[in-house]
């Protein structure tokens, strides 16, 4: 693999840098640094639209569907610059998850109906997979859909539904046949969140914020035209989507940007406030994380080049999910350790947002770090737990 950038690639990097510099407003950049998981919906949409207008919103989509047509080096450069600019996270449920399912398995009418809104950022999506009692063992899900004329009628409950309170549409897995093997009785439906009978209740997480929800379905009528592919074949589409979700979760570029922040914070040598200083033990911990991160970066590049050649996402998705979340959590932990006493105060999203006039007692270099650390404890759980990913590797790679 060629590791030096060519003059054309360096020019591309300059173009990306210049765009971020000129178009990412300071108020949004500031929010993305302070509370990366809680940039407001309006600001997320503003930034989404800016990227859409530029034609850069979906680097991983095929060009014919609105992708950029970039090669893997360009995608890599773009991801790195994105994080270096502290640009906010975009909602992944449309762009990374259901979008690829729709353009791969959807009807022409579904593509025409949904893809433009996903690309433009006008329509927000959420993911209705997990249920109480059906997380790792997802195929055991019990939310039922019964055919009645031209509609499915859904009854049941989803849980841990991230951003359901912001979403316009939800993609759900429902049981349409209980008499067959579990995986063979599942159907994949697209549901408008304003449909009568659908309610969303908040779950407040360990960091004190509202990010998660429960979603209840009571006689929710969904047109058959909103079904992806065939009835009872939903498991195939669900697994396709999970492969995309897991590669995205690796977050290599994001972790590299975090490692930079950690280096800067270590250099502050705030030993006197009970935090880590620039001492040999801290340097050893950082070096261990960075070695893992470099290994992960090359695995990600291999996975991207595999996808580029049309081989699809392989078991690397599980490796990336485990490695990426372990590195992210180790970085978050060390960033908090670095802060010493400043890690103590309990900040919530509202106090972290720039639109609040509440003064923080946390030093500027430490703001948002504890919230991020607490929320991302869940990174090794969502998208399929890391234990389950190890089982997948044991089966599919080690043949155990
Ligand atoms: C912050 C957050 C956001 C989320 N967002 C969404 C979302 O938007 N949409 C959605 O549908 N879901 C979402 N989830 C749910 C997530 O996908 C599930 O939490 C996850 O799949 C685990 O399921 P569970 O919570 O039921 O745990 P369980 O499956 O009950 O697992 C409990 C523990 O047992 C272990 N375990 C279970 N089975 C095995 C096994 N066979 N071998 C070894 N160990 C095993 C697990 O690894 C885990 O440690 C989110 C979760 C979190 C925490």
């Amino acid at each position: 693999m060629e590791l030096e950038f060519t003059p054309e690639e360096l020019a591309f990097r300059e173009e990306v840098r210049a765009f971020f510099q000129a178009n990412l407003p300071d108020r949004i950049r500031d929010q993305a640094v302070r509370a990366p998981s809680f940039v407001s919906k309006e600001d997320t949409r503003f930034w989404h639209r800016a990227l859409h207008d530029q034609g850069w919103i979906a680097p991983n989509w095929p060009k014919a569907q609105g992708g950029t047509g970039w090669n893997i080096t360009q995608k890599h450069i773009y991801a790195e610059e994105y994080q270096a600019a502290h640009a906010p996270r975009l909602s992944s449920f449309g762009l990374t998850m259901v979008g690829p399912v729709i353009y791969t398995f959807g009807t022409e009418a579904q593509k025409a109906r949904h893809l433009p809104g996903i690309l433009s950022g006008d329509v927000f999506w959420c993911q209705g997979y997990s249920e109480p009692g059906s997380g790792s063992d997802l195929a055991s899900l019990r939310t039922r859909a019964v055919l009645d004329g031209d509609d499915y009628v859904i009854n049941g409950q989803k849980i841990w539904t991230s951003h359901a309170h912001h979403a316009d549409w939800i993609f759900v897995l429902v049981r349409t046949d209980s008499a067959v093997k579990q995986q063979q009785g599942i159907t994949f439906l697209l549901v408008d969140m304003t449909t009568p009978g659908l309610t969303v209740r908040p779950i407040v997480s360990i960091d004190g914020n509202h990010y998660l929800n429960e979603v209840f379905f009571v006689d929710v009528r969904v047109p058959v035209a909103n079904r992806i592919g065939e009835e009872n074949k939903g498991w195939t589409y669900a697994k396709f989507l999970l492969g995309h979700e897991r590669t995205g979760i690796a977050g290599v570029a994001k972790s590299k940007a975090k490692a930079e922040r950690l280096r800067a914070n270590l250099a502050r040598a705030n030993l006197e406030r009970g935090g880590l200083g620039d001492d040999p033990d801290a340097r050893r911990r950082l070096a261990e994380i960075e070695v893992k991160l470099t290994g992960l970066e090359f695995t990600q590049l291999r996975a991207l080049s595999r996808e580029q050649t049309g081989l699809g996402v392989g078991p690397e998705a599980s490796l990336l999910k485990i490695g990426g979340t372990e590195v992210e959590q180790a970085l978050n932990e060390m960033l908090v350790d670095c802060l010493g006493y400043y890690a103590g105060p309990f900040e919530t999203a509202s106090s972290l947002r720039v639109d609040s006039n509440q003064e923080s007692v946390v030093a500027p270099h430490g703001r948002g770090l504890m919230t991020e650390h607490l929320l991302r404890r869940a990174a090794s759980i969502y998208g399929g737990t890391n234990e389950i990913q190890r089982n997948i590797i044991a089966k599919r790679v080690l043949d155990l």
Side-chain angles (χ1 to χ4, degrees):
M1 187 178 287
E2 182 57 67
L3 294 178
E4 294 290 318
F5 291 139
T6 63
E8 293 75 30
E9 287 159 356
L10 289 172
F12 174 73
R13 188 171 72 182
E14 283 316 307
E15 185 191 348
V16 173
R17 261 184 206 171
F19 176 82
F20 288 151
Q21 185 76 33
N23 292 283
L24 178 60
D26 287 345
R27 76 163 198 288
I28 300 184
R29 181 184 290 114
D30 200 30
Q31 278 188 68
V33 173
R34 290 183 188 193
S37 304
F38 298 96
V39 175
S40 71
K41 184 175 174 180
E42 302 71 47
D43 283 334
T44 303
R45 181 171 275 156
F46 174 92
W47 178 238
H48 187 125
R49 284 186 179 145
L51 292 175
H52 178 248
D53 292 347
Q54 177 71 5
W56 289 355
I57 195 60
N60 292 320
W61 287 28
K63 200 160 174 17
Q65 305 292 350
T68 51
W70 290 337
N71 61 30
I72 57 164
T73 312
Q74 287 174 303
K75 287 183 193 174
H76 179 71
I77 290 172
Y78 181 74
E80 299 251 309
E81 294 304 319
Y82 195 97
Q83 295 299 332
H86 300 295
R89 263 178 218 148
L90 300 169
S91 173
S92 59
F93 300 109
L95 283 172
T96 316
M97 299 188 202
V98 79
V101 168
I102 294 174
Y103 67 63
T104 308
F105 303 107
T107 61
E108 289 310 313
Q110 286 167 344
K111 289 180 203 173
R113 168 79 180 80
H114 295 294
L115 298 181
I118 292 173
L119 286 168
S120 68
D122 287 331
V123 182
F124 273 57
W125 286 79
C126 63
Q127 178 186 29
Y129 273 27
S130 307
E131 298 182 7
S134 301
S136 301
D137 185 15
L138 184 59
S140 69
L141 61 93
R142 284 174 304 173
T143 294
R144 278 180 64 75
V146 176
L147 202 54
D148 179 26
D150 289 338
D151 293 337
Y152 284 105
V153 181
I154 309 180
N155 281 283
Q157 183 198 344
K158 297 292 171 180
I159 195 167
W160 313 123
T161 323
S162 306
H163 287 162
H165 55 306
H166 291 317
D168 306 296
W169 281 74
I170 180 170
F171 52 91
V172 286
L173 297 180
V174 290
R175 179 148 310 283
T176 36
D177 191 344
S178 307
V180 290
K181 196 176 156 222
Q182 282 180 337
Q183 286 81 349
Q184 290 165 2
I186 292 172
T187 297
F188 193 116
L189 297 178
L190 312 177
V191 184
D192 183 335
M193 293 291 282
T194 61
T195 315
L198 189 158
T199 47
V200 177
R201 285 197 210 144
I203 301 175
V204 173
S205 47
I206 186 174
D207 52 309
N209 294 311
H210 175 199
Y211 182 92
L212 298 162
N213 300 276
E214 294 177 288
V215 182
F216 296 89
F217 297 81
V218 178
D219 293 333
V220 172
R221 297 190 79 88
V222 177
V224 172
N226 288 11
R227 185 186 69 213
I228 291 288
E230 291 176 50
E231 187 175 277
N232 295 327
K233 291 276 163 54
W235 192 245
T236 307
Y237 319 129
K239 281 196 303 185
F240 170 89
L241 181 147
L242 283 176
H244 282 260
E245 180 181 4
R246 281 172 197 148
T247 346
I249 282 174
V252 170
K254 184 175 69 172
S255 285
K256 283 174 83 173
K258 269 191 183 162
E260 278 304 307
R261 187 170 179 187
L262 178 55
R263 280 186 173 279
N265 281 5
L266 277 175
R268 304 179 80 92
N270 57 351
L271 273 172
E272 75 277 9
R273 295 190 190 88
L276 292 181
D278 193 13
D279 67 2
D281 190 47
R283 292 201 153 270
R284 181 192 54 76
R285 277 175 73 186
L286 176 60
E288 276 176 13
I289 296 173
E290 288 188 329
V291 167
K292 273 193 184 174
L293 186 51
T294 306
L296 203 63
E297 187 174 5
F298 283 94
T299 310
Q300 174 149 298
L301 285 170
R302 272 205 313 274
L304 277 174
S305 94
R306 204 184 129 99
E307 249 193 299
Q308 185 112 333
T309 51
L311 287 171
V313 186
E316 296 91 347
S318 296
L319 284 174
L320 285 166
K321 205 268 159 168
I322 299 172
T325 52
E326 283 180 355
V327 163
E328 179 182 17
Q329 290 178 343
L331 280 165
N332 287 341
E333 201 167 302
M334 214 176 150
L335 276 159
V336 165
D337 286 350
C338 232
L339 293 178
Y341 303 156
Y342 281 141
F346 197 81
E347 294 185 296
T348 59
S350 60
S351 70
L352 287 163
R353 287 218 181 110
V354 280
D355 57 6
S356 166
N357 62 3
Q358 190 178 331
E359 276 300 315
S360 174
V361 288
V362 176
H365 70 276
R367 295 200 68 187
L369 292 178
M370 184 51 121
T371 308
E372 181 71 356
H373 165 61
L374 290 173
L375 182 69
R376 299 292 155 198
R377 289 299 306 141
S380 43
I381 299 172
Y382 54 67
T385 71
N386 286 12
E387 290 77 21
I388 294 298
Q389 301 314 314
R390 289 193 172 88
N391 286 350
I392 293 174
I393 293 167
K395 261 198 205 151
R396 291 184 53 197
V397 183
L398 305 174
D399 210 11
L400 295 174

